[in-house]
Amino acid sequence: MVLASASNISSLTAARAIAAMVVSTGLGNVAVGLPHTDWKIDPDAFSNITVLSQNLMMVSIRGALRIGFPALVFASALGGRSRSWFGIIALTAYLLGLHYAGGWLIGAIPESARSSFSKVIMAAPGAAFGSTLESWGGALATILGLFVWAMFIWRDALTVRLGFWGVVAGGVALPIAHMLGSMMMSKSDWLAERLHVDMFKGFEAGTIIEILFGCIWAGIFGWVIWLNRESYKSTPDVGSLRLPWEVGLLILHTVLMLAAAFAPGVGKSPIIDSYEQPGVIAIAIPFVCVLTGRRSPWLLLLPVVMAPVIGIALRHGVYETHQLTADMGWTLVVAVPLAGVSACAVWAMLLDEASVSTQASLPIAVALIVETVALLWLAAVLLGFAWPWLRATPYTATLSLLMGSATILCLFGARDAMASSASSGVVPSTNGF
């Protein structure tokens, strides 16, 4: 989206927008682990309008929540308006308060109302889902509160407009993805059984649905981002958070994040426990760093984001499946990818230090290529090195799809990087991206 529609803004503003969206997905993902009944496309579903509408509403709300908040934050950074460190800290405190208030309100409403709400949201209500309902209440209050802040405190019409389209994109995309995914994965009468087996073997229904969801919401939201491309400007300031605070806070966040992901469950502190649950608590520190710091966007976008993925790949490839020895694992899974993304982050920061007006095309394109290659390698470790030219396994189809996607992304990134480098300051054309 940045390369297609906002390559003329500064690299710092672009990195800040991307990193802010990455951070804020931690709130929207409250909808991912929700207990629910999969939407099956069969004659019974269409004949029962109550079941159909309930499932449609459930997945639509989940999709809107997953994309709405990240879209709001992305748009607020892409607009290029300056945000003071005090204002961002106040916003974070405000969102934290709404997160707890929303959960408290859900817990305080009468049981009958809670039951009705849970029927709409989860399609599998029960007393055991009380904490999940409270998480939903907190997330809904947070996204509504951010809309209010953008409208009345920031008075930022662009952020409100793009955030609204993010909500629409997520709310439309997930029901369609569930419908199409169920059609593809079920033995439908309109698909010959042999054709169905040959086309979709090796894929799980969840994989197909998430791929379709990503393509649809990104297509809708990306189109809106492109239509508003004349509105994006470079952020006037270069960040008010000093370097020691940036590095220290990000190190603290990374330690808490890795402890929540890998430390044994017994004896965890409340803070670490909170990092395991999607919500505002886990995104508060990086949220402040990214929106007020100059180096934080690059550090979070590359090494910090990669850290838990590297840890999961190391645990799987070395200590669970023993596909790699400890020496090979720590070298090829930890040292090499981490060194690559860290070097890219340092290069982008030095480029930005040399000129705060560096256009986004070159550094964002290079970062895209480096991180895509690193993530593809880690995905190969997690999928048992199921390269399509070696052997056929249940993971071969998924890894082949990832390879194709990574190739396309790298080609677009390389094109923009070369065009930006050759133009010597002239914005490269993005027509037909």
Side-chain angles (χ1 to χ4, degrees), residues 197-213:
V197 172
D198 290 340
M199 288 179 62
F200 301 113
K201 65 180 180 180
F203 288 105
E204 295 180 352
T207 302
I208 292 292
I209 290 172
E210 287 299 318
I211 291 170
L212 290 171
F213 175 58

Side-chain angles (χ1 to χ4, degrees), residues 87-119:
I88 296 301
I89 292 176
L91 171 61
T92 305
Y94 164 74
L95 295 178
L96 282 168
L98 288 176
H99 178 75
Y100 282 108
W104 177 82
L105 285 174
I106 291 294
I109 62 177
E111 185 61 33
S112 59
R114 285 168 56 88
S115 178
S116 300
F117 183 66
S118 64
K119 287 179 182 178

Side-chain angles (χ1 to χ4, degrees), residues 100-391:
Y100 282 108
W104 177 82
L105 285 174
I106 291 294
I109 62 177
E111 185 61 33
S112 59
R114 285 168 56 88
S115 178
S116 300
F117 183 66
S118 64
K119 287 179 182 178
V120 172
I121 296 298
M122 292 188 286
F129 301 143
S131 60
T132 304
L133 276 177
E134 292 174 5
S135 297
W136 263 85
L140 289 171
T142 302
I143 189 172
L144 291 174
L146 186 56
F147 267 110
V148 171
W149 187 280
M151 291 175 63
F152 298 105
I153 304 299
W154 285 342
R155 300 183 183 274
D156 191 341
L158 177 66
T159 295
V160 174
R161 183 168 66 252
L162 296 182
F164 169 77
W165 276 106
V167 171
V168 171
V172 169
L174 196 56
I176 295 176
H178 271 264
M179 182 179 66
L180 295 179
S182 298
M183 290 170 59
M184 290 179 181
M185 300 307 297
S186 62
K187 294 182 178 180
S188 306
D189 295 337
W190 53 84
L191 279 179
E193 183 176 350
R194 184 72 254 167
L195 178 64
H196 170 269
V197 172
D198 290 340
M199 288 179 62
F200 301 113
K201 65 180 180 180
F203 288 105
E204 295 180 352
T207 302
I208 292 292
I209 290 172
E210 287 299 318
I211 291 170
L212 290 171
F213 175 58
C215 291
I216 296 169
W217 82 255
I220 297 172
F221 190 56
W223 174 68
V224 176
I225 292 293
W226 186 81
L227 289 179
N228 289 271
R229 61 192 180 279
E230 301 297 332
S231 303
Y232 312 136
K233 300 177 177 64
S234 298
T235 306
D237 63 85
V238 294
S240 55
L241 196 64
R242 297 177 65 85
L243 178 60
W245 280 100
E246 286 189 83
V247 175
L249 288 173
L250 284 181
I251 289 175
L252 174 62
H253 167 71
T254 304
V255 170
L256 291 173
M257 178 175 59
L258 294 179
F262 301 108
V266 179
K268 285 186 179 179
S269 69
I271 296 179
I272 294 178
D273 285 338
S274 67
Y275 261 66
E276 293 183 315
Q277 305 298 325
V280 182
I281 297 175
I283 71 175
I285 294 176
F287 191 76
V288 172
C289 289
V290 165
L291 294 180
T292 63
R294 181 170 182 172
R295 294 93 175 172
S296 297
W298 295 110
L299 292 174
L300 189 135
L301 185 60
L302 290 159
V304 175
V305 165
M306 294 291 293
V309 186
I310 289 173
I312 293 170
L314 178 69
R315 181 177 62 186
H316 177 78
V318 175
Y319 300 105
E320 293 179 349
T321 63
H322 304 289
Q323 297 179 78
L324 298 170
T325 64
D327 291 342
M328 289 182 62
W330 280 92
T331 301
L332 299 178
V333 178
V334 179
V336 174
L338 195 58
V341 294
S342 299
C344 182
V346 171
W347 169 78
M349 286 188 290
L350 292 176
L351 194 66
D352 182 61
E353 291 279 358
S355 173
V356 295
S357 61
T358 300
Q359 292 174 343
S361 299
L362 179 61
I364 295 297
V366 172
L368 171 70
I369 294 171
V370 171
E371 191 153 27
T372 300
V373 171
L375 286 172
L376 178 61
W377 164 246
L378 296 174
V381 175
L382 288 168
L383 296 176
F385 301 103
W387 304 111
W389 57 83
L390 293 179
R391 63 189 186 280

Side-chain angles (χ1 to χ4, degrees), residues 43-64:
D44 293 336
F46 287 104
S47 62
N48 191 330
I49 188 63
T50 301
V51 173
L52 184 62
S53 60
Q54 181 173 314
N55 278 286
L56 177 62
M57 182 179 295
M58 175 188 67
V59 294
S60 181
I61 294 174
R62 293 171 66 208

